[in-house]
Amino acid sequence: MNTKCPARDFIYQDWILTETRFNPEQLHSRGTVFTIGNGYLGTRGSLEEGHARGLPATFIHGVYDDVPVVYTELANCPDWLPMIITINGDRFRMDQGEVLQYERKLDVSQGLLSRSLRWRSPSGSIIDIHFERFASLADQHILGQRCQITAHDGDCLVEIQASINGYAENQGFNHWEGIDQGKTESGIWLESRTRGTQIEIGMAAKMTISGAEAALQVSIVPGYPTISASFLAKSQQTITVEKLVTVFTSREVNKQVTAAQEKLAQLPDYTTLLTANQQAWDEVWQKSDIYIEGDPKAAFAVRYNLFQLLIAAPSHDEKVSIPAKTLSGFGYRGHIFWDTEIFILPFFIFTQPALARNLLSYRYHTINGARRKATHYGFKGAMYAWESADTGDEVTPRWALPDDYYGEDVRIWCRDREIHNSADIAYAVWQYWQATGDDVWMGDYGAEIILDAAIFWSSRVEYNSQGDRYEIRGVIGTDEYHEFVHNNTFTNRMVQWHLEKALKVADWLRHTFPEGAKELEEKLQITPELEAHWQDIIKKICIFYDSSTGLIEQFEGFFQLKDINLEDYEPRQRSMQAILGIETANQHQVLKQPDVLMLLYLMRPSAEFPYNEKALKSNWDYYAPRTDITYGSSLGPAIHGILASDLGKSATAYERFMQALMVDLEDSRGNANDGIHGASAGGIWQAVIFGFGGIQFTEQGPTANPHLPPNWTRLKFQLHWRGQWYQFDLPGGQEAGGREQEEKSQGGFPSGRTSGAGEQSSTLKAFPLALPLVEKGGAEEEVFTLQSPLPNTQSPDIRGFIFDLDGVLTDTAEYHYLGWQRLADEEGIPFDREANEALRGVSRRESLMRIIGDRPYSEAQIQEMMERKNRYYIELIEHITPKDLLPGAIALLDELRQAGIKIGIGSASKNAHTVIERLGLADKVDAIADGYSVQTPKPAPDLFIFATHQLGLEPKQCVVVEDAAAGVEAALAGGMWTIGLGPIERVGAAHVVLPSLAGVTWTDLRTKLNEAARV
Amino acid sequence: MNTKCPARDFIYQDWILTETRFNPEQLHSRGTVFTIGNGYLGTRGSLEEGHARGLPATFIHGVYDDVPVVYTELANCPDWLPMIITINGDRFRMDQGEVLQYERKLDVSQGLLSRSLRWRSPSGSIIDIHFERFASLADQHILGQRCQITAHDGDCLVEIQASINGYAENQGFNHWEGIDQGKTESGIWLESRTRGTQIEIGMAAKMTISGAEAALQVSIVPGYPTISASFLAKSQQTITVEKLVTVFTSREVNKQVTAAQEKLAQLPDYTTLLTANQQAWDEVWQKSDIYIEGDPKAAFAVRYNLFQLLIAAPSHDEKVSIPAKTLSGFGYRGHIFWDTEIFILPFFIFTQPALARNLLSYRYHTINGARRKATHYGFKGAMYAWESADTGDEVTPRWALPDDYYGEDVRIWCRDREIHNSADIAYAVWQYWQATGDDVWMGDYGAEIILDAAIFWSSRVEYNSQGDRYEIRGVIGTDEYHEFVHNNTFTNRMVQWHLEKALKVADWLRHTFPEGAKELEEKLQITPELEAHWQDIIKKICIFYDSSTGLIEQFEGFFQLKDINLEDYEPRQRSMQAILGIETANQHQVLKQPDVLMLLYLMRPSAEFPYNEKALKSNWDYYAPRTDITYGSSLGPAIHGILASDLGKSATAYERFMQALMVDLEDSRGNANDGIHGASAGGIWQAVIFGFGGIQFTEQGPTANPHLPPNWTRLKFQLHWRGQWYQFDLPGGQEAGGREQEEKSQGGFPSGRTSGAGEQSSTLKAFPLALPLVEKGGAEEEVFTLQSPLPNTQSPDIRGFIFDLDGVLTDTAEYHYLGWQRLADEEGIPFDREANEALRGVSRRESLMRIIGDRPYSEAQIQEMMERKNRYYIELIEHITPKDLLPGAIALLDELRQAGIKIGIGSASKNAHTVIERLGLADKVDAIADGYSVQTPKPAPDLFIFATHQLGLEPKQCVVVEDAAAGVEAALAGGMWTIGLGPIERVGAAHVVLPSLAGVTWTDLRTKLNEAARV
C-alpha cells in the first residue's frame, strides 16, 4: 500500500513523511517535526550544514543543568551533526546558490531522517547531495550519518568538514565547560561538563570516504574538533561519506571518553549499524503499532505521534522520564509534568510495559525531592513538583519576566497551587499495577509513592468544623484560567480517590509483603490513626455534585462567575486568556481545558464516582461549550474527542481527534517550534484505543466496543494486559453515516465495568498472543515480564551483568563459614568446610536449617541463632578491604562499565550493601539485590529478576555470574545468560563454565556467550 | 629610576607590573588586573592558548544586549586572542608539561601586556615563548598580538593556530548570533550580531610569520575562523608570529566587515603600529600622569589605577560612559552608576576634559530613559536610572536569585529607592562647568540635565503641612545598609543644592543663550511658579543639622537605632551586613559607606553648607567608627582618606588610601575577578590631588596645601583649570613625623574658598602651562578647548570631516537663490545670480540685510521677509532627492565612513535636517550643526566648533569642506584643517583647494593634507 495524501508541502505515506519544499520560515517548527531519537537522546531536525537562524539541539535524558539565572533545564548537548561541504570553493548552504530539487523524508518505521537535493552552487556547479541520519535503537550510544555526493556536470573539487560542535546552547546559554578534546587514530573526541550539575559527556567521531581518494585531516579548534578531507568528485560518480559518532555521559559510565572511543573503534560500518537499528525498531513496532485503513493522513499521523513518544522513552534508565516537550525542543526546559503520567503513560502501559515501569520508577527515585517540597511548604509526605527535573525538587520558574524595562514580573503560581499532580501520579501507579499485575514493582516502588503522597494530602486538607467537612483551598485545578480557587472538584475527588486506593494498597502490602509493609509503615509513620484520618477525609471531603442532574460545579462558586459565549469571539487566533487578560478570564466561566470532564475521563476505566451516563451528558453539555478547546491547552482536544466518542458524537470526536493529531505536523497552534506536544501525542493513542476502539477492561481481558470514524475501514492494534497480548482487528463502517444522526446517537456509550462486559462487546476480536505468566509459587510472586525463550539464532544483546557476591567477587564465603563454624561449635553440632560447601548460594535460614538438620529447635531459638551467626559474620566482615576482592574481579568490572554494560549484584546476603561498601565497589555497581529484596530465595529466579528490574533491563539482556548450583539454577529459571564459576559438577548447567574470574575479559566472555547462543 | 618593590608575586616598578608566578587559583582576579584597552574596548588578561577555567572577555563600549533572562548587559565580544601553539605534537598549555621560567608584565606607559616563559613539553622539548598584545590607542579599531618562539634544545616542529572565537560568553550566555564568516586574501573575518539589540560586529585578522618557512592555511569552522601554519623552528632561532586584528561595530559604521577588512588590508607592520600606540599614550600621560617619589609601590599603583580609568574612557563616543567595573569584568553587567560622576569624573575633568565631556554627554543622550523612569514611577522630569546602560532606562535587576530550589528571591530595592544619583549627576555637570567654563556644552547639554532632574525632585518631594516642611521619604541613602529611610540628609541636602544650582543655571541660560533658554523652558515647562516652588523646597526641606555641634543625623531616627561597636567583630573577613543579616544591619547604627561624611566631602570644594571645620570633626568622630570601611563598600576608603587628610590624621589617611589603592592589585576584597573597582580608582586620584596635594580652587586658579605621607619625597602632577594647565611639583617631608602627633594635628585642615586663598598656600608651585583662552567676542562665547596651534611637523590625525551643505554636498544654493530672487522680485529690489554669489555661507538674516541694503524696513517686516523666503525655499526643497547630490559627494562620504572617519554637517541653514533627510544622507552623518546650533554665524568658528563637539573630536582632528570664503575663514579660525571648493579667489585661504568633490578620494585628500601640514 502506498497511498499518498498531500497536505500543504507534506506528503503522508504509511510510514513516511515527505517534505517537498524547504521554507526557512518554518525552520524551527520543522526542526521539531523532524526530530529523531532512541530513548537515550533526541536530536532536532537541524541541517547538517548549519543555517543562519538554526538552533541545532540534542537532548540526552537526565542531563539537566541548574545554573540559577536560567533555572534547571535539559542542557542542549554538543551537536553531532555538523558536516560542511564545499564545492569548488562554494560552501553548500540552502540560502545560497540555487536548490533545484529538494526532498526531506522521515521514515518512522526505523527512525531514519534523510534529505536529497540537487544544488547549483553560486559559481555554477551542479551536484546531488543526499544526507541520512539515525540514532541507533539497537545501541543507544551510537549515532550514524551518511552523506552521498554526486557531481552532475563535470568534476568538482569537494571539501568536507565533519565536526562535533561543543558550543551547543539553550537559547543563548551554553551549559558546557570544555574539559578536553583531541585526535585519535580513528578520528576526534570531545569531553565537556555541565556548569552546575557537573555531568560529564564524552563524544567521539570518525569519518570514512568511499568512492574517491581522500586523505583525512584533523584540527583541534577549541570546542569544535573537526575532521576534514578534500577530494575530486568525478562527474556522475557517487562519493559516500560516513560519519559515526558515539556518546556517553557520566550518568552511565565513569570514563565517558574512553567508552566513546572504544565503542567507536569497534563499530562496524554504517550499513550494518543501520540494519541493527531497523531490527530493533521492528521489534518495537510489532508491539506498539496502530494500523488504520481508509484514512491515510490519520494512519501516518498516528504512527508519527507514537514514534515521537517511543524515541523519548528511556529503555535503559529508570531515573528519568518524558518531558512535556519530549526530547525535541526547548519548551518547558525539559521539565516533567503530569502530562507524562496521565496522557502519555497509557500507551506504554499497554504496549511497552517495561518502559512504563521506567517512567513511573522516576517518580520513586525523585520522591525525596517531593518530600523536600512538602517540607518547604510546611506539609508532610511527598508533594510532587509541578515541574520536575533530575532531583524531583520543584523547578517551575517563579516569574514570567517582562520584555520591557518597566513591565511587571508575572508570578507563576503553579508551583504553589497546582497540586493535583500528586494524586495524578498515584492514579498512574494504580493503573500500571492493575494492567500489569507487577506486584514486585508495586511492593518496592509504587506503594511508597501512593502512601507518601497520601500522607501529603492528609496534611494539606483543611478541616472546616462549621460544615464538618474537609476542604482544599487556594488551588489551581486542571483548568489554569482560574488561578486561586477553593475546593476544585477535580482536585478534591482525585484526593478522595487517592486516599481510597492508599488504604487498599496499605492493606494489600500488609498481606503480600508483610516485612516490607512493616518497614515502610515505620519509615513513613503510617499508623492506624492516620488510616482512620484518611477514612474521615474520604467521607467528608466536599464534592459539588448534584445527584439529580449529575452536574458538577468545577469549584466553589464557579456557577456564580460571569458567563460567556465563546462563539462571540470567533474567529480568533489567540487563547481566551490572551484576549481577556488573566484577571478577566478568572472572573468568567471559561475553561482553558477540561476540568470536570477530565475528572470524568479519569474515573471512566472503572466507572467510579462520579462517572455515569447522566453525569457525562450533563457535564459535557455544560462545560464543552465553555472550554477554550482551540487555543487553550493542547491537553484538551484528545480528551474531549474520547468523551465525544462515548456520547456518540462521532463528528465532534473526529474533529477533536484530528485537532490533537495534527498539532505538530500542521503546527496548528503555532508553537511546534518549542517541541513535540507529548501529552497530545499520548492523548492520540488513548483516543484511538479507548475512544474509537472503545476498549474496556474486564476481568476476562480487554473488550472492544468500536465506533470508528466513518472513513476508517479497519483498525488494528495490540494490547498487553496482565501478562498477555491481545490483538484487535476492528472493521469499520458499522456506524450510521450522517453527522446529524451521529450527534444524537447514544450507541457509543461504553458499558463500564459495572455492566456485563460481554453485553456490548459483540465486535470483540481479541485473542491472547503471548505465553501465559510463568507460575512460580504463590500468586504474590507473579512476575509480569513476558518470558520469551532465549534467542538461539543470533548473538545475545548483553547490557547487564549480575554478580553473585560470595565466591564470585570476594571470598566472604570464608567469613560465612567461620561464622557458621563458631555457631555450630557453640551448639555442639558437627560442621566443617566440606559441609559448608553445600551452603554456597543458600539463604541464611536455609543454611541454618541444613546445619541443625532434624535437631529440635524452636522458632525463637532459630531466630536467635541466625542473629548470632550474623553478628559473628558482621564482626568478621568489618575487616574486609578491597584486598579481599577475588583475582580478576575488578578488571572485569571496569572493562564492562567502560563498555557501557550495567552492573548488578544478586546476593542472598542481607549484608551485601556493607560488603560492597568495604570492597570499594559502591561506585561501580548500578543495583544491589540482597537478602531483603525478595521473599523466595535461590534457586527461585526472583532475586535475579529483581536485579534486572533495578537495572532497567530484560532478563535476556543480562548475564548472571554465579558460583553456586542454586544460583545457576535461579539464573536459568529467570531466563538470563549464566556463567558458572567452579567445577562442572557444581555449575555445569551454566551456559559458560570457568574456574574463576582471574584473567577473564569481556571480549572472551562475549565470544563464549555467542558460541553458547549458537548451540 | 628602577626601584623594585616586591609584594607577594608582584614586582612594582615605575610603569611596569611584573607577575613572577602563575597561580591558576588567581586566574580570574589576575584576568582583571591584566586588562588592557584603548577607550573603545577592554580585553581581560586571559591566556592566548586558553585555559580550562578561562573566561576570555572583550567588552566594547555601548555594545549592550537586552535578552530578558539575563537583563541588559555589556555583551562579551568575539575573542580576538586565541593562539594555539603545538610543539612536536604537544599543545602548549600552562597546566601541561612544565613551566621552567615565567614572567608576565603590564607596561602601563603604553598599555602593553607581555608574557615570557620557558616551557618543557610533555615529550621533553624545551622552548621559549614570548607573547605580547596591545589595543591601539592611536587607532581604536586596531588590535595587535605578537608571539615569538625559540626552540631551545634542538629543532621543533611547530604548528600555530590563530583564531577569532565567535563563542564569547557572559557567564555561559552567548549574546551573539553568527551572520557570516570567511577567508580573504590576507586572512579571516567574522560577522556577528547581538540577539536582542541587533548590534553587528565585524572583525578581521591576519597572521604573518617571520624567521621560518611557513605556508598559511585558513579553515572555516563555524563561528571560529582560524589561520594555521606549520613550520620547523630551528634550534636557537627565534620565529616571530604577528597577528593583527581589526574590529568595527554597527554603532560606528554601516558596513562593519568591509571596514574591518579594508583597515586590515592597509595596516603597516606590528612594530609601526606599536610605535603609534606608544606615541598616543605619551600624549595622554603628559597630561594625566602623577609622579610620586619615595613610595615605589604607591607610585606604580597610582599610575596603574589611572591607566585602568584611561583605557575605559571613550574618546570617540559621547553616548557611552564608564561602567562601575570599567570594561574589565562581568561585575554589575557593564552598568553605569553614580560611581562615574562622583568618583571617576574629577580625574578626567582636570586632566582630560574632552573625555569628561563625553562621559557627561552620555547622561544627556540617555535623558529620555530617565524621563521614562520618572513616568513609570509617577513623577515628572528626569529620574536617572540607578543602573544605566545604552538607553538610560532602569536596568537594575529586580531580584537576587537564590542558589537553591526553595530559597527566597531577594528584592533589590535600589532601582526604586536609591534616588540620590539624579542630584549626583547634576553635581557633576556643575563641577565640569565650573572647572572648564565650557559654556557651549552647558548651554546645549548640561542645562537640560540639571533642569529636568530638578523637575523630577519637585515632583518627588512630599510637603508635610503639619511641619510646613518638605520631606523625601522611603529612600536608600549612599549607605545601603539602611534600605528604607525617611529624609536621608545626604539626599535631602543634595536635592536642596541641586535646586539652588538649577535656579542659577536657569538664570544664566536666560542671560547667555536667551533663545535656547526660551526653547528649553517651553520644552520642559519651566515656569516662574515652578521656580518659586524650587525656592520653597530649598527653604523648607528638612535637614538634620545641629548647629551647636555641627553633628548631622544620617536620616530621621538614625540616632535612635541600636548602637554597635565594630571592634567587637574584629577580626573579620566579611561585611557587617553579611554578619548581621539585612534586617539586623537595618536596625543598627552601622554604615556600609560614608553618608553624612560623603555629603561633607561633596560640599567641600566650595565649602558649602554644611561643610565646615566643626562639622567635619564632629561627624568624623561619630560616623567613621561606625562605618564598615573594610568590607562595606569599596567606595568608602578613598573618601575617608581625604577627610582624614583634612583632619591632619595622616596615618589614617595613608592607611585608607592604600586600602583603596591596592583593592585590585592585591585583591584585598576578594572580588577583583568581577572587574576593576572603577570608583575606587577614581577616588585614588582625588585622594592624591585633593587629599595629599590639598588642592583648592580659587578665582586665581588652583592652589596646593600639601600634606604628603611621610615617606613621599615628591609629588608632581598637572591640572587643567578654565583653559589653562597648572603644574604642581610638591616636595615632601614638610609635616611632622610621629603618628600620635599627626593624629592630633589640625594643621592639615584646608582653608576652603571662603578664607583667603593665599594664606595657607605657601607651598603653591603651580604655573600656567597653556595658552590663554582664545577670545572671540563676548564672554558667553568662550570655548574651553585648548587651542594649540596646528601641528606642522607630523601628519595630521584626521578623525572627522565637516561638510558645508550648500554648494558642497548639494546645490541647495540654487534653491536659496530662487527663494531670494522671488522675494526680491516681490519687493521690487534688484537681485540676480551675481548678487547671490556673495551670499554663499552667509546666514539668512545677514543675506536679507545685504539684499535690502539701506532700505528702511522695520524689524517686523524683516522677520516676515525671512519667513517668506524660507517658505519659498522649503517649497522648493520639497523636491530635492538624492539625485541633487553633487558629483563625488556620496563616494567620498562612503569612503570616509569605511575608514572610520566621522561625518558632520556644518551649515548655516535652518533647514539642514530636512535637506539631509531628502538627500538620503541621514544614516551617513554623525552630527548636524545647523542654523539653530549657535548664535554667531560664520565667519565665526562657533558652528564648526559645535560640530566637533558633537563628533567628540578636537578641532585639529577635523577637516572642514567649504565652498564659501566665510566658511573657510570660520574653519581656519576654529583650528580645523580646511578644504575649499571653488576658485582660488574665493577659497584660496584653505589648506587644500579643489574645484569640486568630483573624483576626489580620501587617499588623495590625505596626501594633500599631509603636504599642507609639512609646509
Side-chain angles (χ1 to χ4, degrees), chain A residues 38-156:
Chain A
N38 61 1
Y40 173 72
L41 56 71
T43 295
R44 283 171 58 83
S46 324
L47 308 181
E48 287 81 354
E49 71 278 11
H51 188 283
R53 296 186 301 111
L55 291 173
T58 291
F59 300 104
I60 298 180
H61 260 309
V63 179
Y64 288 95
D65 195 27
D66 60 1
V67 177
V69 66
V70 288
Y71 298 99
T72 300
E73 66 185 350
L74 268 186
N76 186 7
C77 292
D79 184 23
W80 56 283
L81 297 179
M83 283 182 99
I84 292 178
I85 301 166
T86 306
I87 309 290
N88 289 337
D90 289 324
R91 182 169 155 193
F92 165 65
R93 281 189 289 193
M94 298 291 286
D95 58 354
Q96 294 192 359
E98 195 182 350
V99 176
L100 304 173
Q101 292 174 14
Y102 174 84
E103 206 174 62
R104 178 155 57 163
K105 279 178 197 269
L106 175 63
D107 178 352
V108 300
S109 79
Q110 57 176 329
L112 184 69
L113 179 63
S114 61
R115 180 164 50 123
S116 300
L117 29 78
R118 179 163 296 170
W119 185 65
R120 177 160 45 216
S121 72
S123 56
S125 308
I126 295 180
I127 55 160
D128 289 346
I129 305 178
H130 175 82
F131 286 109
E132 270 182 27
R133 76 175 77 145
F134 70 96
S136 175
L137 196 69
D139 183 331
Q140 60 182 13
H141 300 288
I142 297 173
L143 308 165
Q145 267 181 294
R146 179 151 68 178
C147 174
Q148 292 172 306
I149 298 170
T150 314
H152 215 65
D153 60 345
D155 299 355
C156 285

